Amino acid sequence: MAMIDEPLYPIAVLIDELKNEDIQLRLNSIRKLSTIARALGEERTRKELIPFLSENNDDDDEVLLAMAEELGVFIPYVGGVEHANVLLPPLETLCIVEETCVRDKAVESLCRIGAQMREQDLVEFFIPLLKRLAAGEWFTARVSSCGLFHIAYPSAPEALKTELRTLYGQLCQDDMPMVRRSAATNLGKFAATVEAPHLKVDIMSMFDDLTQDDQDSVRLLAVEGCAALGKLLEPQDCVAHILPVIVNFSQDKSWRVRYMVANQLYELCEAVGPEPTRSDLVPAYVRLLRDNEAEVRIAAAGKVTKFCRILNSELAIQNILPCVKELSTDSSQHVRSALASVIMGMAPILGKDATIEQLLPIFLSLLKDEFPDVRLNIISKLDQVNQVIGIDLLSQSLLPAIVELAEDRHWRVRLAIIEYIPLLASQLGVGFFDDKLGALCMQWLKDKVYSIRDAAANNVKRLTEEFGPDWAMQHIVPQVLDMINNPHYLYRMTILHAVSLLAPVMGKDITCSKLLPVVINASKDSVPNIKFNVAKVLQSLIPIVDQSVVEKTIRPCLVELSEDPDVDVRYFATQALQSSDQQMMMSS
Amino acid sequence: MNGGDEVAAAPAGPPQSLDWKFSQVFGERTAGEEVQEVDIISAIEFDKTGDHLATGDRGGRVVLFERTDTKDHGVPRRDLERMEYPIGRHPEFRYKTEFQSHEPEFDYLKSLEIEEKINKIRWCQTANGALFLLSTNDKTIKFWKVQEKKVKKISDMNLDPSKAVGNGSIASSSTPKLCLANGGSPDRSYNYLGNDFSFPPGGLPSLRLPVVVTSQETNLVARCRRVYAHAHDYHINSVSNNSDGETFISADDLRINLWNLEISNQSFNIVDVKPANMEDLTEVITSAEFHPTHCNTLAYSSSKGSIRVIDLRQSALCDSHAKLFEEPEAPGSRSFFTEIIASISDIKFARDGRYILSRDYMTLKLWDINMDSGPVATFQVHEYLRPKLCDLYENDSIFDKFECCLSGDGLRVATGSYSNLFRVFGCAPGSTEATTLEASKNPMRRQVQTPSRPSRSLSSITRVVRRGAENPGVDANGNAFDFTTKLLHLAWHPTENSIACAAANSLYMYYA
């Protein structure tokens, strides 16, 4: 203790706590590893701190994860890039631990360091590390090694490159499915660094192995690699090697593989070019849209817009649109829901005429779907179709759909539609809104469910922001303030909440003339809950209105409340008074 | 009789009956000692290598044992098996560690007590010398990591440890506060500290890192890595790992869920047999297991005596099975008990995945996955109980769930019975092996006569019944058959002829 100067005390504690029994303190110290390193200086960090970390790596996974993360940005603290290699040993051991997230983070940090290392250091330190991991006794080491090849390969001399490719090939055929999965996941990244001639031979043969793996989970990841590989190859090679594989996969026995294809297919279209897309990928995609398994159709339906964006509109209308029509009446609500969430995006692709002729009937039928999610998804993307054909064609069907959702017996559905009301208002315009939706917004303020009333109050505020205070004065404020006379105190509370939200948007004049009197009146309420909420609202109004109003109206009311028989009312009134005092001190 | 060479020359000959010997017992009861309910073993499982054994009990504890006899095999196992004379070496285990896996809980929403009893244990892939296993009670599955940790002593702190204790409260409270004051981001809070502080370029020589002295002593630490909860409305009867090493299933009475080992907050329902109206319920799931090598195949058994094999590739929700195995009811044999005793209590895949072993109340059945017309072999476990079914029904014993197991080579099967007996049958073609053993230090004492004929053809039933009559429900000590001492749980070593079985709170190990 005597040796440690007073200002060093926090650092000393930090270092000691690297080995504290409490995991939170260890974690805290590891998070501040760079502070410790700076306190020790670069040389002692290299010679003492890093070896210390390497030796003490049997800590809890949370600590190891933090350590793996910190070490990734540690190059400046060990003396720059020329000393980067000292960071490899502790990360190497972290690459072997059992917990996946620690390993992943260690690999990520190694990649980050490796990307900055000098070429000769990579050959001298990084590649041997990679080879040790790839030949590791435990599968965990081999899993980690797969994610490092793309960093090591570009710097390796020719002979070593051959060795690395062979090594990767072995990993693709490892006994453990975990290793093969990792090899499949990282194949695209590795392939991007491999020279074209080897790409066509070595990498493609690895890819072939993986696509024929016994384990579905490996094949799944191989599908993901398809698009990445496809982009690296020349179009004709892609057509020759990748296309047959993906077409095969699109008819795989396993629905999970087909599901992956449905998700990935559009990415491949660009790689193979327009002609093979038309002749092979479109038919494959159409098959997936009509798959027996609903999960596959969900994935395919969700990509309809992205896929059509790549095709020309003629092809889309000819091939995809008939499927879309079928999907809009699919037996699975989740398929319809997935379709509804993207189908509006097709309008800009197809253009005005085709949209009116072909898509509009689908929109309308989805708007009448029995499943609320489907209708909600359509409504949520209304702006996209509005730009193409205007809202008028839809408004006839839109209104009943909105009204029905607004009155749905599930409050979560009501909540969802409230969220979209400001969007609808901006799309439909003031006139439409006043006629049809204004009443609904008021109705929600009187909902039985608190979350709905809460959202409704917020909605009132957002509408005011959309249409401006003048409009609100005419169409919202009087109706809202009317409800303060509701016999049920919970509804009166909602109005107070709405007032506190409206006040900042309406500005000080309207707040003083219209809103404030209502709040002051409510302070005479018989229910204490209302009264202490009045105190809270008044507190929120203080910054909005003029000082004179605070003095003349708000403070007297608060003073009165602060002498209320109810303890909670007194508490919040006192709070509000204190905040008003502070406000005065600040302004003076 | 046969020399080793001749056996090799005539591979068609059935293997010899095994001569079972007592090896070890853990938790043996002393005379007059009463068994505590919480100590009763409720699950047994060997790991893939056979180097470890785990048991779970009704008290929610998991006990691990490790093999102590030498692990390297000079002589190939098959050669050892052929030898006439008893082999000196056999698997021996010692207590390794134990931990409390589950605690009793109370579901306040359903006003339901959740027992801590371990229903199943499954070993997962070993990594870095750490052991991993899944344990489950009725509702919650837990993923455990058991690891040896070297005991470490820390010395040479910057602050005098005695004083550091005095300052501990300041030290430990000051650092987290720093984080809070700066709003969450620890990096930023360090920057804040760093900016305030200017370090000399060479560092501060007075600071030093703690010295950690690693001793040879090790500590076994069991840590719960993940908890897979709230996915089962009914009681979980099985968990089973997939060969892909990343997923597992859990089955309750009506549903089977698929999990990823690394994701504990979501699972996928893959089988749902719950009828829209619970009054239409006629059949429940009793057990489920993944195929040992085909990642997309799993089998589950039902209370109606059928086994369904499903293909996960077919559909996300596997309502339709790929294969159905059930035995047609013998005409005229129907009785009140037919349906009850047909209920399958356990199924196990053989190691090669070709055969499925199932246990119902009276029999063990071996099914060929390629033949769904009927079992390839049926073994009567305790046929002498057939006249007593009425008593067994009245005291609820008829609902006891006996487990079954196969030897690693697939040549033999075993299952338990009452009076702490268990039976081993040979299932290789032509084998007549049918041994009855007692879970005690003298397993063969019940072997009054060695059955020399297979007891699996229907014609042999009468004989077996007669054998029961010769020995009318009385054991060697003259005690009547005891329905309270039942041997429900047992496991066969994956590579050797060694069986671990549970008699109440005791774990008996036998070898041949």
Side-chain angles (χ1 to χ4, degrees), chain A residues 7 35 39 60 96 98-100, chain B residues 128 190 197 204 223 226 262:
Chain A
T35 310
D60 287 318
I96 307 173
E98 312 80 57
E99 188 61 34
T100 315
Chain B
N128 287 348
Y190 118 72
F197 238 84
L204 300 155
R223 282 196 71 189
R226 271 171 206 96
E262 306 210 329

Side-chain angles (χ1 to χ4, degrees), chain A residues 187-188 191 199 203-204 207 225-233 238 242:
Chain A
L187 186 64
L199 188 66
I203 299 290
M204 286 317 292
F207 178 68
C226 273
L229 271 182
K231 285 171 188 160
L232 296 173
L233 292 168
C238 187
I242 307 280

Side-chain angles (χ1 to χ4, degrees), chain A residues 9-33 36 52-53 59 63, chain B residues 154 156-159 164-165 167-179 208-210:
Chain A
Y9 186 80
I11 290 286
V13 169
L14 211 53
I15 293 177
D16 285 354
E17 282 178 354
L18 279 171
K19 282 286 139 200
N20 197 290
E21 274 177 26
D22 183 344
I23 177 171
Q24 279 311 319
L25 298 181
R26 292 203 302 277
L27 209 48
N28 187 52
S29 285
I30 287 286
R31 291 256 160 77
K32 291 179 188 139
L33 212 51
I36 295 174
F52 173 83
L53 295 174
D59 212 323
V63 178
Chain B
I154 291 128
D156 213 10
M157 303 289 251
N158 286 303
L159 306 170
V165 173
N167 291 329
S169 58
I170 308 166
S172 27
S173 62
S174 68
T175 21
K177 245 186 214 159
L178 204 63
C179 292
R208 56 171 183 263
L209 291 162

Side-chain angles (χ1 to χ4, degrees), chain A residues 7-9 11 16 28 35 39 44 58 60-61 77 96 98-100 138 176 181 215-216 255 293, chain B residues 125 128-129 145 149 152 158-159 175 190 197 204 207 223 225-226 244 262 295 312-313 315-316:
Chain A
L8 289 183
Y9 186 80
I11 290 286
D16 285 354
N28 187 52
T35 310
R44 287 186 67 200
D58 62 343
D60 287 318
D61 295 325
Y77 308 110
I96 307 173
E98 312 80 57
E99 188 61 34
T100 315
W138 295 102
M176 300 295 272
R181 277 198 291 274
Q215 289 284 346
D216 289 349
W255 70 268
E293 175 56 41
Chain B
Q125 192 64 51
N128 287 348
K145 169 176 162 185
K149 285 212 166 166
K152 288 183 174 176
N158 286 303
L159 306 170
T175 21
Y190 118 72
F197 238 84
L204 300 155
L207 291 171
R223 282 196 71 189
R225 298 301 305 148
R226 271 171 206 96
D244 67 7
E262 306 210 329
C295 61
L312 294 178
R313 291 174 300 185
S315 172

Side-chain angles (χ1 to χ4, degrees), chain B residues 288-396:
Chain B
E289 196 176 49
F290 259 121
H291 189 283
T293 50
H294 296 175
C295 61
N296 40 50
T297 308
L298 73 89
Y300 67 93
S301 60
S302 84
S303 56
K304 272 192 164 173
S306 55
I307 301 167
R308 288 179 176 82
V309 172
I310 59 172
D311 184 349
L312 294 178
R313 291 174 300 185
Q314 245 166 25
S315 172
L317 189 62
C318 296
D319 286 331
S320 59
H321 51 262
K323 277 181 180 155
L324 173 69
F325 301 90
E326 56 188 355
E327 192 161 36
E329 207 176 292
S333 66
R334 207 180 155 73
S335 76
F336 174 70
F337 301 111
T338 308
E339 271 198 23
I340 302 175
I341 62 170
S343 176
I344 294 176
S345 50
D346 192 24
I347 53 167
K348 292 273 159 62
F349 270 101
R351 218 147 77 112
D352 59 3
R354 166 97 185 260
Y355 296 97
I356 299 174
L357 180 68
S358 72
R359 168 72 205 259
D360 55 43
Y361 192 61
M362 297 302 285
T363 68
L364 266 182
K365 292 192 177 100
L366 191 70
W367 307 77
D368 185 333
I369 203 162
N370 300 323
M371 183 178 108
D372 48 12
S373 56
V376 288
T378 303
F379 308 96
Q380 316 290 350
V381 179
H382 37 215
E383 201 56 27
Y384 54 85
L385 291 179
R386 203 171 277 277
K388 297 199 177 81
L389 284 176
C390 216
D391 301 338
L392 292 163
Y393 177 75
E394 267 163 23
N395 64 19
D396 274 355

Side-chain angles (χ1 to χ4, degrees), chain B residues 105-303:
Chain B
E105 283 175 83
F106 193 78
D107 182 339
Y108 291 95
L109 282 178
K110 292 182 181 151
S111 205
L112 218 68
E113 250 179 87
I114 303 168
E115 275 185 86
E116 69 271 34
K117 178 186 151 213
I118 306 293
N119 288 346
K120 271 281 155 57
I121 295 176
R122 283 287 181 266
W123 290 89
C124 303
Q125 192 64 51
T126 312
N128 287 348
L131 302 171
F132 291 88
L133 47 87
L134 289 167
S135 62
T136 185
N137 66 353
D138 284 342
K139 295 288 176 189
T140 309
I141 307 150
K142 293 185 179 177
F143 184 52
W144 291 91
K145 169 176 162 185
V146 182
Q147 197 177 26
E148 240 167 45
K149 285 212 166 166
K150 290 223 166 89
V151 177
K152 288 183 174 176
K153 287 204 181 92
I154 291 128
S155 61
D156 213 10
M157 303 289 251
N158 286 303
L159 306 170
D160 186 346
S162 60
K163 283 198 170 172
V165 173
N167 291 329
S169 58
I170 308 166
S172 27
S173 62
S174 68
T175 21
K177 245 186 214 159
L178 204 63
C179 292
L180 288 175
N182 286 297
S185 161
D187 280 356
R188 201 173 296 166
S189 68
Y190 118 72
N191 276 335
Y192 174 76
L193 182 85
N195 293 341
D196 244 17
F197 238 84
S198 57
F199 295 113
L204 300 155
S206 60
L207 291 171
R208 56 171 183 263
L209 291 162
V211 175
V212 180
V213 187
T214 312
S215 72
Q216 284 310 304
E217 256 179 281
T218 56
N219 244 347
L220 271 170
V221 186
R223 282 196 71 189
C224 182
R225 298 301 305 148
R226 271 171 206 96
V227 177
Y228 314 89
H230 312 302
H232 285 280
D233 286 337
Y234 305 90
H235 288 182
I236 299 173
N237 53 47
S238 319
V239 284
S240 174
N241 298 94
N242 191 335
S243 57
D244 67 7
E246 69 170 353
T247 55
F248 71 94
I249 49 162
S250 56
D252 67 22
D253 295 341
L254 295 177
R255 296 191 181 101
I256 301 176
N257 292 334
L258 178 71
W259 302 82
N260 187 311
L261 275 167
E262 306 210 329
I263 301 165
S264 56
N265 59 4
Q266 68 172 1
S267 69
F268 297 94
N269 181 230
I270 49 173
V271 174
D272 188 348
V273 300
K274 189 181 178 187
N277 184 355
M278 278 301 264
E279 280 166 17
D280 300 334
L281 185 69
T282 56
E283 190 174 17
V284 297
I285 298 168
T286 52
S287 171
E289 196 176 49
F290 259 121
H291 189 283
T293 50
H294 296 175
C295 61
N296 40 50
T297 308
L298 73 89
Y300 67 93
S301 60
S302 84
S303 56

Side-chain angles (χ1 to χ4, degrees), chain A residues 22-23 45 97 108 207 220 304 323 331 338 370 379-380 383 398 442-443 457 474 479 536 545 551 560:
Chain A
D22 183 344
I23 177 171
T45 297
V97 300
E108 191 187 316
F207 178 68
L220 284 177
V304 139
C323 298
S331 58
E370 57 178 346
I379 289 170
S380 70
D383 47 335
L398 209 47
M442 295 303 128
Q443 182 186 320
Q474 277 201 333
Q479 288 93 323
K536 282 197 216 170
V545 297
E551 287 301 321
E560 196 176 315

Side-chain angles (χ1 to χ4, degrees), chain B residues 432-490:
Chain B
T432 59
E433 187 174 352
T435 315
T436 306
L437 297 117
E438 183 183 13
S440 72
K441 282 187 173 169
N442 182 10
M444 301 300 270
R445 71 179 167 131
R446 303 219 20 103
Q447 205 66 10
V448 187
Q449 76 280 50
T450 316
S452 52
R453 302 212 358 234
S455 53
R456 50 184 140 116
S457 64
L458 276 172
S459 63
S460 69
I461 289 180
T462 47
R463 208 192 71 82
V464 179
V465 171
R466 190 162 47 77
R467 181 147 65 85
E470 277 166 14
N471 194 0
V474 175
D475 74 6
N477 299 332
N479 299 323
F481 268 108
D482 183 358
F483 299 123
T484 57
T485 53
K486 47 201 169 196
L487 198 150
L488 298 175
H489 310 282
L490 78 177

